[in-house]
Amino acid sequence: MASHEKTVGCNNIIPNFFDKVDWNNKDVYHGFVTNVYDPSKFWMRFAEVGRLQDMLREFYQVKKNSFALTPDVIHVNMYCAALDQDGFHRAKVVRVDLREPTNFIVFYIDHGIIKRLHFNKLYGLHEQFGAIPALAVRCVLANVAPVDNENWSSEAVRRFSSITGGEKQLGVRISNMTPERKVLEVYLVDPSVERGGRTPTVNHHLISQNLAKNIWHLSNQPPAGRVYTPLMKYMYLYPIHEAIENGTAPSTWQLTENLKECVAWDVLFPELFKYTPPK
């Protein structure tokens, strides 16, 4: 790669948008849901990304050959520019695809999306793009839990994705935050939806549709007779954002459910489940 000295170095860390904002639970923010795992694990963007996408496109359309990478120089935690059908995106390499070592699992740091790409779609990230904070912010829908206490249903995931998707700008109120993990617990409001002079939250909508319940209605008693005993109190919070981002957990809720159909749960998530032989 001819322009190695102009790329984000292996010891550089791109700043995080979460750290650049003085989050306040008295303020209303506006943002876009960019990726959904389930209502307890999703990512939002609170800053405009259009100009950044234009800059990436304009730069790499001219100079991408100078920043082309080969598999031997691509490594985990490396920042890069990734090309897909939507254009160029800033990404972080999180894993080598063991089935095909010329493919890599990358995390789009401005969108919260995991992708599997061939090495010829990855380019060294020029240093001018390293000073811009990673825009994807980890979020949790505040004070709601699955109806069964443990697993979000396919309909709940589908409904949440449907009402928050499509580049729809949402009002965001902060309920709580976890600075060490850079996670926001949020109430979401679609300003275009008004009922009786009030704008209901997405949180309340899921509850009203019997797709979620208030978190304070959680039961501490797991269902009787099950062979996989949860090791965590609030199973619906797992896998956590970090596990999805670094490729150690399935990248989508659907993939998780499919894998649980054919892989023992305690093998798939050894830190979450314990197998108890039926009596």
Side-chain angles (χ1 to χ4, degrees):
M1 184 174 63
S3 300
H4 178 75
E5 74 280 358
K6 294 184 179 179
T7 62
V8 175
C10 59
N11 294 322
N12 295 94
I13 297 177
I14 291 179
N16 195 295
F17 185 84
F18 181 96
D19 298 322
K20 300 297 182 180
V21 178
D22 184 18
W23 303 104
N24 190 320
N25 60 10
K26 295 181 180 179
D27 294 333
V28 176
Y29 302 88
H30 295 90
F32 302 87
V33 173
T34 56
N35 188 34
V36 172
Y37 184 94
D38 63 30
S40 298
K41 278 90 65 182
F42 60 99
W43 291 259
M44 296 194 70
R45 188 183 70 245
F46 295 87
E48 173 58 43
V49 76
R51 180 53 187 152
L52 173 58
Q53 298 299 127
D54 290 342
M55 290 168 60
L56 287 165
R57 185 187 69 251
E58 292 165 2
F59 181 87
Y60 284 98
Q61 279 183 340
V62 176
K63 298 186 178 182
K64 69 179 184 179
N65 290 338
S66 299
F67 288 83
L69 300 172
T70 54
D72 58 300
V73 301
I74 300 173
H75 56 82
V76 173
N77 293 328
M78 175 182 182
Y79 289 103
C80 60
L83 176 63
D84 65 19
Q85 64 273 18
D86 297 322
F88 286 93
H89 305 272
R90 295 192 302 166
K92 184 178 183 180
V93 178
V94 298
R95 189 157 52 89
V96 179
D97 189 335
L98 297 180
R99 297 171 300 174
E100 178 49 70
T102 58
N103 290 330
F104 294 85
I105 311 302
V106 300
F107 177 71
Y108 286 5
I109 64 175
D110 300 312
H111 304 278
I113 296 173
I114 288 284
K115 289 278 188 173
R116 175 177 176 269
L117 295 173
H118 192 266
F119 80 90
N120 63 11
K121 299 294 184 181
L122 304 179
Y123 302 87
L125 187 67
H126 190 276
E127 62 184 5
Q128 68 173 299
F129 301 113
I132 303 170
L135 300 181
V137 177
R138 301 166 180 162
C139 293
V140 178
L141 208 58
N143 295 323
V144 296
V147 173
D148 71 354
N149 297 336
E150 294 184 15
N151 299 289
W152 288 105
S153 68
S154 58
E155 178 59 20
V157 176
R158 187 200 66 79
R159 183 70 61 86
F160 179 68
S161 300
S162 174
I163 60 181
T164 60
E167 284 293 305
K168 180 187 297 181
Q169 188 177 63
L170 300 167
V172 182
R173 289 192 290 113
I174 310 298
S175 171
N176 193 24
M177 67 189 77
T178 309
E180 61 272 18
R181 289 187 52 228
K182 306 185 192 304
V183 176
L184 299 178
E185 296 178 33
V186 300
Y187 289 96
L188 300 180
V189 175
D190 181 356
S192 66
V193 178
E194 184 175 308
R195 295 172 185 166
R198 299 179 58 191
T199 305
T201 64
V202 174
N203 314 50
H204 180 266
H205 172 78
L206 293 181
I207 293 172
S208 71
Q209 298 297 309
N210 296 317
L211 297 174
K213 63 182 178 182
N214 289 319
I215 193 170
W216 45 84
H217 291 163
L218 283 175
S219 168
N220 290 324
Q221 299 300 320
R226 61 187 300 170
V227 297
Y228 293 107
T229 304
L231 299 176
M232 304 293 183
K233 185 175 181 180
Y234 301 117
M235 283 301 303
Y236 63 92
L237 296 178
Y238 297 89
I240 60 176
H241 291 82
E242 293 91 325
I244 300 167
E245 292 177 6
N246 65 28
T248 57
S251 58
T252 67
W253 178 91
Q254 291 85 353
L255 181 56
T256 296
E257 294 305 298
N258 291 340
L259 287 172
K260 285 167 73 175
E261 291 292 325
C262 56
V263 180
W265 295 11
D266 59 328
V267 174
L268 184 62
F269 295 116
E271 73 280 11
L272 302 183
F273 294 103
K274 178 181 71 173
Y275 177 72
T276 306
K279 296 180 181 180

